[in-house]
Amino acid sequence: QVQLVESGGGTVQAGGSLRLSCAVSGVAFNWYVMGWFRQTPGKEREFVAAISETGTSTYYLDSVKGRFTISRDNAKNTVYLRMTSLKPEDTAIYYCAANKGAAVAMTASDYDYWGQGTQVTVSS
């Protein structure tokens, strides 16, 4: 059974930081591209960041470049999203996802497995 379990969400003031974690089980983690997406009510799920299987390549939404960092620990089957200089517009439910495609994907439909999400709220 494939499981992706996010943790680390919460409420912070603008300018603050959070680190999200996503623990993966049931798949060969180092075969999967991992991504983070976010969603707010009434909007489609938005790509935030992705990382290649070995961690050598990373990709980001323009609005989070320089503030967010995606990383992975293949020994721990875990992917992380370090978020700094948080803004109220970063408020959303954040989801991690796994993609066994041939290339890093930035579209939600390309991902095979999803976590349940973790709420991030940034107050002004």
Side-chain angles (χ1 to χ4, degrees), residues 60-87:
Y60 295 94
L61 176 69
D62 283 347
S63 63
V64 308
K65 284 180 181 176
R67 300 189 298 122
F68 290 12
T69 303
I70 188 171
S71 62
R72 67 191 294 161
D73 185 337
N74 284 355
K76 295 183 178 180
N77 288 5
T78 301
V79 61
Y80 305 96
L81 185 68
R82 174 68 174 168
M83 306 184 293
T84 64
S85 302
L86 282 161
K87 305 175 181 180

Side-chain angles (χ1 to χ4, degrees), residues 29-99:
F29 180 71
N30 60 344
W31 290 3
Y32 283 76
V33 168
M34 297 300 300
W36 285 95
F37 288 75
R38 65 188 182 188
Q39 190 169 25
T40 54
K43 293 189 176 181
E44 293 193 357
R45 203 162 288 191
E46 175 183 53
F47 169 80
V48 176
I51 187 166
S52 61
E53 296 91 328
T54 59
T56 53
S57 298
T58 56
Y59 304 83
Y60 295 94
L61 176 69
D62 283 347
S63 63
V64 308
K65 284 180 181 176
R67 300 189 298 122
F68 290 12
T69 303
I70 188 171
S71 62
R72 67 191 294 161
D73 185 337
N74 284 355
K76 295 183 178 180
N77 288 5
T78 301
V79 61
Y80 305 96
L81 185 68
R82 174 68 174 168
M83 306 184 293
T84 64
S85 302
L86 282 161
K87 305 175 181 180
E89 51 263 43
D90 295 319
T91 295
I93 298 175
Y94 283 71
Y95 298 89
C96 72
N99 162 30

Side-chain angles (χ1 to χ4, degrees), residues 12-26:
V12 296
Q13 290 189 330
S17 300
L18 284 173
R19 189 180 80 156
L20 306 183
S21 299
C22 174
V24 180
S25 60

